[in-house]
Amino acid sequence: MAVSLLAYVITFFIFLCNYALTIAAIAMPKWLSFVAPMPIYMETDYGLFRLCRRPFPSDDQGDCSEDGFCELWRAAATGMVLAAILGALTILALLGTMCSSRRKRARAWVTLSGLFVLHALPQAFSMGVVAYVFNSSATFYVGTRYNLSFILCTVSWCFSIFLAAVLSLIAILSPPEYAYQPIH
């Protein structure tokens, strides 16, 4: 039961792409969008921290008039920031694993799989909170829809769970490294 260095290197680069999705979901203010095509085209993008070009949600703008809306929206934003921090720790753990000895690499899959799941949980929470607020809040107009950041978050946490499962399967199903006989 050992995961090869090559498997960890491939996992590292795949997770870097996955982490980029998480950062993009946080940075882009496109979690929800409302487009009014007639008579004048107007697009409103809701981000975790901004509404178009102003801070969101804001007490000054009346965004928090609905009970619990601001708390839930800020909880979703906090979950995504926590996911970004855990993702950075996962990258450091992957780098440490790739630079360590063979014996340490053989057992690192348990820690890394756990970190992948820990990276996914706050994202799934944030996605669920935004979906709940989207479906239950009167803040959003009829015709508001999920946009790119919401989709990137969903893909990222699903992919993190997939990486944890694949890394665990590789570790469980592969033979130990000492089982290979050298070719003479």
Side-chain angles (χ1 to χ4, degrees):
M1 292 201 290
V3 180
S4 69
L5 178 60
L6 179 62
Y8 283 125
V9 170
I10 292 170
T11 302
F12 174 74
F13 286 110
I14 291 172
F15 186 76
L16 273 182
C17 295
N18 188 28
Y19 186 66
L21 295 178
T22 303
I23 298 301
I26 293 171
M28 287 190 303
K30 290 185 177 279
W31 278 75
L32 301 173
S33 290
F34 173 73
V35 177
M38 297 287 183
I40 299 170
Y41 178 82
M42 181 182 75
E43 184 173 348
T44 305
D45 292 322
Y46 296 89
L48 291 177
F49 304 100
R50 301 189 305 234
L51 171 64
C52 295
R53 290 184 172 82
R54 70 171 178 88
F56 180 78
S58 172
D59 291 325
D60 300 337
Q61 300 290 330
D63 297 329
C64 299
S65 60
E66 191 174 328
D67 281 343
F69 175 79
C70 283
E71 291 80 8
L72 286 171
W73 198 264
R74 288 182 183 133
T78 303
M80 286 303 292
V81 169
L82 179 62
I85 292 168
L86 290 170
L89 291 175
T90 304
I91 289 171
L92 289 175
L94 277 164
L95 285 171
T97 299
M98 290 186 302
C99 295
S100 64
S101 67
R102 182 181 295 176
R103 184 188 303 163
K104 289 182 181 178
R105 275 197 313 265
R107 293 181 306 226
W109 67 271
V110 176
T111 304
L112 290 172
S113 293
L115 284 171
F116 290 149
V117 171
L118 281 177
H119 177 250
L121 289 177
Q123 291 184 84
F125 168 78
S126 295
M127 183 214 63
V129 167
V130 169
Y132 171 76
V133 169
F134 171 73
N135 288 321
S136 64
S137 176
T139 303
F140 305 112
Y141 303 108
V142 174
T144 302
R145 60 183 167 75
Y146 298 119
N147 206 342
L148 184 61
S149 294
F150 185 87
I151 295 165
L152 290 177
C153 172
T154 304
V155 168
S156 179
W157 76 260
C158 289
F159 208 65
S160 288
I161 296 292
F162 177 75
L163 274 175
V166 167
L167 189 62
S168 298
L169 283 174
I170 288 171
I172 291 169
L173 298 177
S174 66
E177 286 190 12
Y178 60 81
Y180 295 107
Q181 299 297 324
I183 299 174
H184 297 297

